[in-house]
Amino acid sequence: MFDWPLLQQNFPLLLGALLTTVEVSAASLFIGFFIGIGVAAMRLSPTPLLRRLGGAYIFVFRGIPLLVQLLFIYYFLPRAGLPNMSPMTAAIISLALCCAAYIAEILRGGFLAIPGGQLEAAGLLGLNARQMLVRIRVPQAVRLTLPGLINEMILLIKASSLVSVVGLADLTRTAQNLAASDYMFVQDYLLLAGFYCLINIPLAYAGSRLEKRLKGRGA
Amino acid sequence: MSFDPHIITDHLDDIGNGFLVTLGTWSSGVVLGLLLGLVIALAQVFGNNFVRAPLRVFIEIIRSTPFLVQLFLLYYGGPSFGLEMDPIPAGILGLAVYGSVYFAEIFRGGFESIPRGQLEAADCLGIGRLRCIVRIQLPQMAVIILPALVNLVTVLCKETAVLSIITIPELTMVLTGIGSQTFAFVETLLALCIGYLILVEACSRLGMLLETRVGRFMQRQPQ
Amino acid sequence: MNNTQATLALASAANESTAPESRKAMIQLQGVGKHFGQLRVLKGIDLTIHHSEVVCLIGPSGSGKSTLLRSMAFLEEYDEGQINIEGQLLGWQNAEASGVARKRAPQAKINQVRQNVGMVFQQFNLWPHMTALGNVTEALQQVRKQSKAQARERALAMLDKVGLAHKADAYPIQLSGGQQQRVAIARALAMEPHIMLFDEPTSALDPELVGEVLQVMKTLAKEGMTMVVVTHEMGFAAQVADSVIFLDKGEVVARGTPQQIFHDAEHPRLQQFLQNYLDRNAFWQDGKDAAAAKP
């Protein structure tokens, strides 16, 4: 059942594709993080309109399946006037917008966990809202929610498998192409699964270790 | 760019069928996944080490790999194992296996959240293991895990969109198909988005209703 | 009189209240009131705090003393009357007019009015992700726009003043409660406030750590800082305060010099409060009968 020479041949090809997957995921997480901060801040804003906008963002981007979001951005936007975008761009935009919604909720929990007294002291010392957000709230929210953010990274890497649908040469697409030509479905897809495990299992381990450490230290 | 809602109304039959397929695969997958998940959870809590170790490996793999990859293995790789399946059964099985692992985690968390003291008291009173599970643990767990269950069910609803990739004629496949045929991308994609938003919202509303119902039942028990 | 009572009386006698050099009014409260729904937390408070004056607010829990102090920093919005900081109205756009709801002043105005007010909290409220030095330099750099070097220099000077220059690079979690509170004081002092507010600064501290914080506060008082302190430390009030104000159920029940409050207490509620305090804290009594300890 296993064709060793073929395996050795496919391995480096998938290794290259792994790079693409990680690149796309990391870029999306990075962009999504900053969008997420904005949405979380909106959700916690004293202005009702901002709160509702933030809530609407989360409702839309968590309610619609990622696949549909991806198709929307790749197929619809170019026809709505936006210039034709490469699969890579569409993928990153779509993943970023989607994970921003989840990150916003994670960070919101972090923001709410910061003792109010610290912000009172900051306000009294003269820091304005932007300074408080950047210097005090975000650093602490990230520290408090790091395990959740790592989990989000894992989810993002798994979700990135969908970009294969718009033709981006990520892990999944590459494996599909290989399987289409050599018909060794089990072998190729098991190898594919193995690669995902290679990234995600260490990440999950790191996340749970971090969680245990944070619980012990009391942040 | 013109907007023509008639595209939708013209194909209402097909869209309706796609919707039914989505609902069907979703519900079957959830039910099967719940059962599998319960079995896995019980095996983890009560099983011996011979059972727990391979189970742990299985769970890690399912949790670390994308749903799409699991579907590919099942649908395209299945025949190599003698598992020749039509797309829909493969999709349901895939959804169930994928969900079962997360269901199991929720059940396990629920089991562990019941204070040990209650089980010890039951044991002292001579209440058997099975009776204890059914009469003491499960009822209390139900309220605690309900929000997590509703959340997972909603996630699985969204995952049914992925089933379109292995050619299951559910909502996403039907609407995007219509879109490519008629070039009416706006209308179809918009309808698709709205369709899922309705499903997801209905799911969470139902969930909240259930929570209040079950919670009310629990409140009648003496504290 | 038992020992503790005698000590308090001696202390207040020693702290002869010399009238503050400058009678400039730093904080003025007129008819200040506040309610939470049906509950009236503050009623008709009239108070003036002068330059270099040390005022201690004492009273049972629920008496409104913390609410009053926090109102002076507009951390609580007072509903009636007005509070002036160095002559400027705090928090509201205009003085009270009957029947007209007041509008909250823009945040920039509120910040401007209270920029010379520093506050120290019961829970320290240090930012845990910054070192002691970082906590002190933060506002200097962000608000006063000082350069990193300038801020660092000033911060180290303040930390030295509270005796913690050697802990500049420590994180709050590595410091004891008393040390954290002293860093908090340094942080407030770095901004060169004209007025310092202390909200039960030692209530969250282990007893052995209280002294180091009170020592810093005593030094500040000697240097002429205008201070308003909500505290349960009667010894501190007796030794350091220029005036002591006793609040009960949201009203000023008694005010005066430490001598007048602690030694010559007249008002029955004040006497009861002091008796409760002495009962809790007296640990050596002449005679077994508790009644013998009554003034």
Side-chain angles (χ1 to χ4, degrees), chain B residues 66-99:
Chain B
F67 178 48
L68 186 58
V69 173
Q70 294 170 23
L71 276 180
F72 282 168
L73 268 170
L74 207 55
Y75 184 59
Y76 294 115
S80 304
F81 292 112
L83 209 63
E84 195 80 48
M85 279 188 286
D86 280 339
I88 293 189
I92 294 178
L93 187 59
L95 199 60
V97 168
Y98 181 68

Side-chain angles (χ1 to χ4, degrees), chain B residues 101-111 141 145-146 148-149 152:
Chain B
V101 164
Y102 296 99
F103 279 125
E105 194 182 326
I106 294 174
F107 287 135
R108 209 160 56 89
F111 269 120
M141 268 171 59
I145 62 176
L146 206 46
L149 284 180
L152 183 55

Side-chain angles (χ1 to χ4, degrees), chain B residues 174-185:
Chain B
V174 167
L175 274 170
T176 50
I178 296 174
S180 354
Q181 276 176 6
T182 62
F183 293 99
F185 290 102

Side-chain angles (χ1 to χ4, degrees), chain C residues 103-244:
Chain C
K103 274 209 330 181
R104 194 187 156 104
Q107 193 59 38
K109 177 74 180 161
I110 296 179
N111 286 347
Q112 185 255 322
V113 171
R114 65 179 189 191
Q115 67 181 336
N116 293 324
V117 177
M119 184 147 173
V120 174
F121 300 83
Q122 185 176 354
Q123 298 299 333
F124 330 138
N125 288 333
L126 292 180
W127 303 310
H129 60 299
M130 300 181 188
T131 61
L133 187 69
N135 264 272
V136 183
T137 57
E138 184 63 15
L140 290 173
Q141 289 183 282
Q142 298 290 326
V143 181
R144 293 284 158 89
K145 309 289 188 206
Q146 288 184 2
S147 73
K148 205 161 162 199
Q150 274 180 303
R152 189 187 155 84
E153 196 185 318
R154 173 139 186 94
L156 283 173
M158 289 299 105
L159 284 172
D160 189 45
K161 190 181 173 68
V162 301
L164 286 173
H166 61 295
K167 290 282 188 183
D169 295 323
Y171 283 89
I173 205 175
Q174 300 167 306
L175 301 173
S176 75
Q179 291 171 326
Q180 288 186 53
Q181 190 62 299
R182 285 188 279 155
V183 172
I185 295 176
R187 180 174 68 173
L189 285 179
M191 302 296 278
E192 293 172 299
H194 299 171
I195 304 165
M196 282 284 277
L197 305 176
F198 294 84
D199 189 0
E200 299 200 40
T202 57
S203 294
L205 296 176
D206 291 335
E208 318 87 67
L209 303 173
V210 167
E212 62 195 58
V213 174
L214 292 183
Q215 193 52 50
V216 170
M217 291 166 66
K218 282 183 200 170
T219 310
L220 275 180
K222 268 207 196 76
E223 290 170 356
M225 174 65 77
T226 312
M227 293 163 61
V228 185
V229 184
V230 171
T231 185
H232 292 297
E233 295 288 328
M234 302 303 161
F236 174 82
Q239 291 166 34
V240 181
D242 296 308
S243 49
V244 178

Side-chain angles (χ1 to χ4, degrees), chain A residues 117-118 120 124 131 135 140, chain C residues 70 125 127-129 138 142:
Chain A
Q118 290 183 25
E120 276 185 349
L124 217 41
Q131 290 165 330
R135 303 282 299 170
Q140 285 192 74
Chain C
R70 287 166 62 87
N125 288 333
W127 303 310
H129 60 299
E138 184 63 15
Q142 298 290 326

Side-chain angles (χ1 to χ4, degrees), chain B residues 116-127:
Chain B
R116 295 244 126 251
Q118 291 190 21
L119 309 179
E120 286 168 6
D123 196 31
C124 284
L125 288 164
I127 299 176

